[in-house]
């Protein structure tokens, strides 16, 4: 059974940092691209960042570029989101999600839609 | 970024009703569209991808159609478990975007 379990959320002051973790199990983690998606409670979903299967390529939404860093540890089946210079508008539930991609010819690719989601971790940025 | 607009924002319906939700893209996305169901306090669940392909395990009362800029999600006969918020998402570019969501409520 595929499981994604986020941790690391909490209350943080504006300008400070927080690191989210997502522990994956039940699938070959190193074969899948992973993303972070956030949602202000009661609002829509917003894509934040993605990382390819071996960690060599990343991309970010404009709203977090230069402040957030996504990374992964394939030996420990974990993906991270380092969030620096946090702002009030970063307050949201952060979901770790698996890309429904595929592997072919020794390389793995992302499809940019999401077949498994974690339960989410709430980040609140407030003084 | 490609903007996704869903309508209606809220929909009131009864058990057994046929329900249709529309999602419009600000530019053509071919068939690169997914639909998700989300219940309060829970993570979204993938229902449909590539506009009309049903994810494994999703009941056949759900269907999707459309291409280009206009898409629909249809629930053929609304069941108690279907009261939830539905989100569309485009993935034609490397910056996926979602609609604002459609809440399906009990009439």
């Amino acid at each position: 059974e595929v499981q994604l379990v986020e941790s690391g959320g909490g209350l943080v002051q504006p300008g400070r940092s927080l690191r989210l973790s997502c522990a994956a199990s039940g699938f070959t983690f190193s074969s899948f691209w992973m993303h972070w998606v956030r949602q202000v409670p009661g609002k829509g979903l917003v894509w934040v960042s993605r990382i390819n299967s071996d960690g060599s390529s990343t991309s970010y939404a404009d709203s977090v570029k230069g402040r957030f860093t996504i990374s992964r540890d394939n030996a420990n089946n974990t993906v991270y989101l380092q969030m620096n210079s946090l702002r009030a508008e970063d307050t949201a539930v952060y979901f770790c999600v698996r890309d429904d991609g595929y592997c072919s010819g020794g390389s793995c690719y992302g499809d940019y839609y999401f077949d498994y989601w974690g339960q989410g971790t709430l980040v609140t940025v407030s003084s | 970024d490609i903007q996704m607009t869903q309508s209606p924002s809220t929909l009131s319906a009864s058990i057994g009703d046929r329900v249709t939700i529309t999602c419009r893209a600000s530019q053509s996305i071919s068939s690169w569209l997914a639909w998700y169901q989300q219940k309060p306090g829970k993570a979204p669940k993938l229902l449909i991808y590539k506009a009309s392909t049903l994810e494994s395990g999703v009941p056949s009362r759900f269907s999707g159609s459309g291409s280009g800029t206009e898409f629909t999600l249809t629930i053929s006969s609304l069941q108690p478990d279907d009261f939830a918020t539905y989100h569309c998402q485009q993935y034609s570019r490397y910056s996926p975007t979602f609609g604002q969501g459609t809440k399906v409520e009990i009439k």
Side-chain angles (χ1 to χ4, degrees):
Chain A
E1 180 194 5
V2 171
Q3 285 197 314
L4 300 170
V5 180
E6 301 96 336
S7 59
L11 174 64
V12 61
Q13 293 179 327
R16 304 297 291 264
S17 299
L18 207 60
R19 188 176 83 155
L20 305 183
S21 300
C22 171
S25 61
F27 64 101
T28 305
F29 180 71
S30 59
S31 294
F32 287 87
W33 293 28
M34 299 295 294
H35 303 250
W36 289 93
V37 173
R38 69 186 183 185
Q39 184 178 36
V40 174
K43 302 295 184 182
L45 299 159
V46 176
W47 174 80
V48 173
S49 182
R50 69 91 179 150
I51 188 166
N52 71 342
S53 55
D54 65 7
S56 63
S57 173
T58 60
S59 65
Y60 301 91
D62 287 345
S63 59
V64 306
K65 202 173 293 182
R67 300 187 299 121
F68 289 12
T69 302
I70 190 171
S71 61
R72 65 190 296 159
D73 179 351
N74 283 351
N76 289 296
N77 293 349
T78 303
V79 61
Y80 303 98
L81 187 67
Q82 177 68 42
M83 304 185 295
N84 298 333
S85 303
L86 281 160
R87 305 167 181 167
E89 55 265 35
D90 295 319
T91 294
V93 175
Y94 285 73
F95 294 101
C96 168
V97 301
R98 191 181 85 165
D99 189 302
D100 189 22
Y102 62 98
C103 293
S104 175
S107 295
C108 296
Y109 303 90
D111 278 335
Y112 285 84
Y113 66 91
F114 316 121
D115 59 352
Y116 287 95
W117 297 61
Q119 84 287 354
T121 187
L122 177 62
V123 173
T124 303
V125 184
S126 175
S127 54
Chain B
D1 282 358
I2 298 174
Q3 308 303 315
M4 306 300 293
T5 304
Q6 289 181 234
S7 60
S9 295
T10 306
L11 185 161
S12 296
S14 302
I15 301 298
D17 283 353
R18 182 182 181 87
V19 166
T20 299
I21 298 168
T22 298
C23 179
R24 289 187 173 86
S26 59
Q27 61 186 270
S28 177
I29 59 170
S30 185
S31 295
W32 306 120
L33 186 98
W35 289 97
Y36 302 86
Q37 177 193 67
Q38 185 178 28
K39 297 182 179 178
K42 300 294 186 183
K45 171 189 172 185
L46 177 65
L47 298 177
I48 286 169
Y49 59 94
K50 210 171 180 183
S52 60
T53 303
L54 208 62
E55 174 72 347
S56 176
V58 174
S60 58
R61 63 181 179 272
F62 291 92
S63 64
S65 65
S67 66
T69 62
E70 188 152 338
F71 303 84
T72 58
L73 172 70
T74 300
I75 308 172
S76 60
S77 177
L78 197 66
Q79 298 303 301
D81 191 48
D82 301 339
F83 291 98
T85 297
Y86 293 85
H87 305 271
C88 64
Q89 177 228 329
Q90 68 80 20
Y91 52 100
S92 76
R93 296 287 185 268
Y94 299 136
S95 182
T97 51
F98 295 84
Q100 81 280 13
T102 295
K103 184 175 182 180
V104 176
E105 297 182 327
I106 301 174
K107 191 172 184 179

